[in-house]
């Protein structure tokens, strides 16, 4: 079993259930409000830990009750939380999520401590980032923390020949090409790939073209997820489509995070890329049938029982 280091965001999610997501100027009566541990980085660390991985989380929270809850929840899943900094002058990140009756969502994120999680902060802490990365095998990141931090960690991880996985969400346009060099896997969805490339992605052919553009920038493998349609793996020698499992979705909040983490865990266990994708699809197919972010993550037994 290889070690996984997840570098990224931790948020407390305020989840509002509503018949439909309001349009501009519209008022809608919601049904329920709940607070659920989330954040793309924390979701991924929690998933990998709950599925049985050897996982450490590197990130930042405020020195407040939300931060304490998020760390405790990760620890309960078996995640090493010694790399999570509690910042005195920042509040824990929060996400305000609206979920409609079809299971679709809209999200507003308040970065809080995630926005203060900079290279300077890491260098000021006692734990050496280089030593932390030396002890891991796979580094997983997202874009809910400053881009400079992701680039800083990526370049250090690449120099130490670690496997690097980046979930480019929330997607940003005009990311410098050097950011992508040395990344082993990126996992954009259709919308994110459109933002990254500046091109519309409506057909599989267009998505393959978009993936090839990312390969030209230095990424080694692109996994494009397409919701209920499935996902596609594109690299220099392969274009492979993986159909989705048919389920009734009630909440897609952490589906992508669950996929990414389960995929990373499968690679850590020695599975092939194709096997890891199927494992990720199986885990995320279960997650979308449940409400919440980390509350939706399945157990290892559930994933194995549902595996094809």
């Amino acid at each position: 079993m290889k070690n996984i280091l997840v570098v990224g965001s931790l948020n407390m999610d305020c989840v509002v259930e509503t018949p439909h997501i309001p349009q501009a100027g519209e008022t809608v009566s919601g049904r329920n409000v709940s607070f659920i541990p989330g954040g793309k980085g924390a979701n991924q660390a929690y998933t990998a830990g709950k599925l049985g991985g050897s996982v450490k989380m590197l990130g930042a929270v405020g020195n407040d009750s939300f931060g304490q809850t998020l760390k405790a929840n990760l620890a309960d899943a078996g995640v090493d939380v010694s790399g999570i900094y509690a910042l005195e002058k920042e509040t824990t990140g929060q996400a305000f999520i609206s979920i409609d009756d079809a299971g679709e969502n809209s999200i507003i994120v308040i970065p809080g401590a995630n926005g203060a999680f900079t290279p300077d902060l890491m260098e000021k802490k006692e734990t050496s980032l280089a030593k932390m990365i030396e002890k891991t095998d796979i580094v997983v990141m997202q874009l809910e923390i400053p881009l400079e931090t992701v680039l800083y960690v990526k370049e250090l991880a690449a120099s130490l020949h670690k496997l690097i996985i980046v979930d480019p969400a929330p997607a940003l346009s005009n990311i410098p090409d050097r950011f992508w060099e040395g990344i082993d896997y990126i996992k954009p969805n259709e919308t994110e790939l459109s933002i990254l490339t500046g091109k519309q992605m409506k057909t599989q052919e267009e998505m393959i073209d978009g993936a090839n553009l990312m390969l030209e920038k230095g990424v080694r493998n692109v996994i494009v997820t397409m919701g209920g349609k499935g996902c596609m793996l594109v690299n220099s020698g392969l274009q492979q489509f993986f159909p989705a499992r048919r389920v009734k979705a009630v909440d897609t909040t952490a589906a992508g995070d669950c996929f990414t983490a389960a995929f990373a865990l499968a690679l850590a266990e020695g599975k092939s890329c194709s096997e890891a994708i199927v494992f990720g699809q199986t885990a995320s197919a279960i997650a979308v049938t449940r409400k919440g972010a980390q509350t939706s993550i399945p157990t290892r037994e559930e994933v194995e029982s549902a595996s094809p």
Side-chain angles (χ1 to χ4, degrees):
M1 169 74 74
K2 294 181 178 179
N3 297 321
I4 299 172
L5 175 66
V6 178
V7 184
S9 57
L10 301 98
N11 291 324
M12 181 59 76
D13 292 348
C14 175
V15 181
V16 178
E17 297 177 21
T18 178
H20 67 271
I21 296 171
Q23 301 177 15
E26 181 184 11
T27 299
V28 176
S29 294
R31 286 189 297 272
N32 189 43
V33 178
S34 54
F35 291 91
I36 301 174
K40 297 192 70 63
N43 292 344
Q44 291 170 6
Y46 183 89
T47 299
K50 188 171 181 179
L51 292 176
S54 174
V55 189
K56 184 168 186 171
M57 175 84 200
L58 179 60
V61 295
N63 187 17
D64 51 34
S65 60
F66 281 166
Q68 294 168 5
T69 299
L70 294 178
K71 290 179 67 175
N73 199 59
L74 287 174
D76 286 344
V79 177
D80 180 347
V81 298
S82 62
I84 299 177
Y85 311 133
L87 307 183
E88 294 290 342
K89 296 183 180 180
E90 301 288 343
T91 58
T92 296
Q94 296 180 61
F96 297 87
I97 304 171
S98 299
I99 301 173
D100 67 15
D101 288 343
E104 295 299 324
N105 64 61
S106 65
I107 305 173
I108 299 174
V109 176
I110 308 298
N114 296 312
F117 184 46
T118 62
D120 287 344
L121 174 67
M122 286 186 283
E123 291 302 330
K124 289 177 183 177
K125 299 298 179 179
E126 295 180 2
T127 303
S128 166
L129 178 61
K131 290 182 179 179
M132 195 179 298
I133 294 177
E134 283 174 358
K135 293 178 180 179
T136 197
D137 302 289
I138 300 174
V139 178
V140 180
M141 294 183 285
Q142 330 75 36
L143 302 183
E144 278 188 339
I145 56 177
L147 188 65
E148 63 173 330
T149 303
V150 182
L151 177 60
Y152 180 77
V153 175
K154 186 271 297 186
E155 292 189 339
L156 182 53
S159 72
L160 294 170
H161 309 291
K162 304 302 180 179
L163 184 77
I164 303 169
I165 301 171
V166 174
D167 184 351
L172 305 170
S173 59
N174 301 318
I175 294 177
D177 285 354
R178 67 183 280 253
F179 174 85
W180 304 108
E181 296 172 0
I183 295 177
D184 294 284
Y185 295 92
I186 63 170
K187 188 216 67 66
N189 60 27
E190 300 157 281
T191 301
E192 291 156 357
L193 185 60
S194 294
I195 294 171
L196 295 176
T197 60
K199 299 179 180 296
Q200 288 297 316
M201 302 291 156
K202 295 182 179 179
T203 67
Q204 284 195 23
E205 290 73 21
E206 289 173 337
M207 281 179 264
I208 290 171
D209 290 341
N212 282 323
L213 287 175
M214 299 310 298
L215 296 179
E216 292 173 5
K217 294 176 184 292
V219 176
R220 297 188 177 99
N221 298 272
V222 180
I223 301 172
V224 186
T225 54
M226 298 175 282
K229 291 178 285 187
C231 69
M232 189 180 314
L233 169 65
V234 181
N235 57 37
S236 60
L238 180 69
Q239 299 169 5
Q240 185 175 0
F241 177 73
F242 297 79
R245 299 173 63 88
R246 291 185 177 276
V247 296
K248 180 175 174 55
V250 299
D251 183 358
T252 61
T253 301
D257 299 330
C258 182
F259 176 96
T260 300
F263 171 77
L265 175 63
L267 293 181
E269 294 178 341
K271 290 182 172 63
S272 69
C273 178
S274 294
E275 291 171 330
I277 288 174
V278 172
F279 187 79
Q281 286 183 307
T282 303
S284 61
I286 297 172
V288 299
T289 66
R290 302 167 176 173
K291 295 179 180 180
Q294 292 168 33
T295 52
S296 72
I297 303 304
T299 64
R300 182 60 179 257
E301 292 73 21
E302 289 173 321
V303 177
E304 291 181 345
S305 295
S307 295

